[in-house]
Amino acid sequence: MNFTNKTVIITGASAGIGKVLAIKLAQQGANLVLAARNKTSLETTARECIQKGGQAIAVPTDVTNSEACQKLIEASLAAFGAIDCLVNNAGIGMSVRFDEIKDLSIFEKIMKVNYLGSVYCTYYALPHLKNSRGLLVAISSLTGKTGVPTRSGYAASKHALQGFFDSLRVELRGTGVDVLVVSPGFVATDIRQRILGADGTPVKATLDNEEQKAMSAEVCVDLILKAMSDRKRELVMTLKGKLGLWLKLLAPNLIDSIAANAVSSQNAKS
Ligand SMILES: NC(=O)c1ccc[n+]([C@@H]2O[C@H](COP(=O)([O-])OP(=O)(O)OC[C@H]3O[C@@H](n4cnc5c(N)ncnc54)[C@H](OP(=O)(O)O)[C@@H]3O)[C@@H](O)[C@H]2O)c1
């Protein structure tokens, strides 16, 4: 898939992976529709995209609101006349053991952003993606493949995302619409500044030793772009992540130990 003059909607485009993806697609001459809540940051991304040679509009959107998602799709059509790709990337994380949680609404918040937001945007975009024989992308996580301590609600939301898009992929056979699920490992973004703690508010975690080795957002986005352009069904990042898929089948206790060690050696990851 070549992205020149193609219209790509990206949720969570005000920061991190979504922002880098928008800028790299702009360099290829794509039309970007940028969604997130922070209007100022979104407009900054849009300006950078235009400077890089793409067209871009900022559409402030809270993906937990289905009407806002519908308006996002309408704004995309009004600006560019078609939709070729929807990247469901908006997400929030958590870092707290289940038995230490003080505010149960954390589960609802995470599910609404990470899972339902993608369902809403996909629902309204799908008829237009069928017209263009386009591409649906979900940015999940390795935590969508296996359980991780202190990430119970996050892992649940990413497992839900995986199950939803795996099901939709089968339903969409023969329509020309492809579905790509991306599972990154640790990526060096500011997501840790926003991860929710025991009382449901951000804990403003910083990178610890292990996380200093996280993949850069640029490398992560290059891998995503290659998978998008090849219209792959799945992108699992890192050798550890790929081996983990097999290990989970062969030695699930070993995977649990790896997940436990990964989190005990670092207090805050997505
Ligand atoms: N970084 C990692 O280590 C890592 C690893 C695996 C998977 N991922 C996944 O990759 C995706 C991007 O993560 P990131 O690291 O780039 O995080 P990030 O830097 O925190 O960016 C998250 C983006 O989501 C947006 N967002 C949050 N809540 C939203 C809402 N209610 N409505 C619309 N937009 C919302 C944020 O914008 P506003 O605040 O302006 O709304 C921001 O643009 C997420 O789905 C995350 O789970 C990340």
Side-chain angles (χ1 to χ4, degrees), residues 216-245:
S216 72
E218 281 70 21
V219 170
C220 173
V221 165
D222 286 344
L223 293 172
I224 294 172
L225 280 172
K226 172 86 173 65
M228 285 170 63
S229 110
D230 294 348
R231 293 179 80 113
K232 287 240 159 85
R233 58 180 281 143
E234 187 103 48
L235 169 62
V236 177
M237 292 191 193
T238 79
L239 183 59
K240 225 177 183 176
K242 290 183 178 92
L243 288 175
L245 296 182

Side-chain angles (χ1 to χ4, degrees), residues 14 17 37-38 62 89 154 158 185 187 189 192 194 270:
S14 63
I17 295 168
R37 292 163 306 171
N38 187 320
D62 183 338
N89 164 75
Y154 182 75
K158 295 298 189 179
V187 184
T189 68
R192 288 152 199 91
R194 298 182 264 272
S270 67

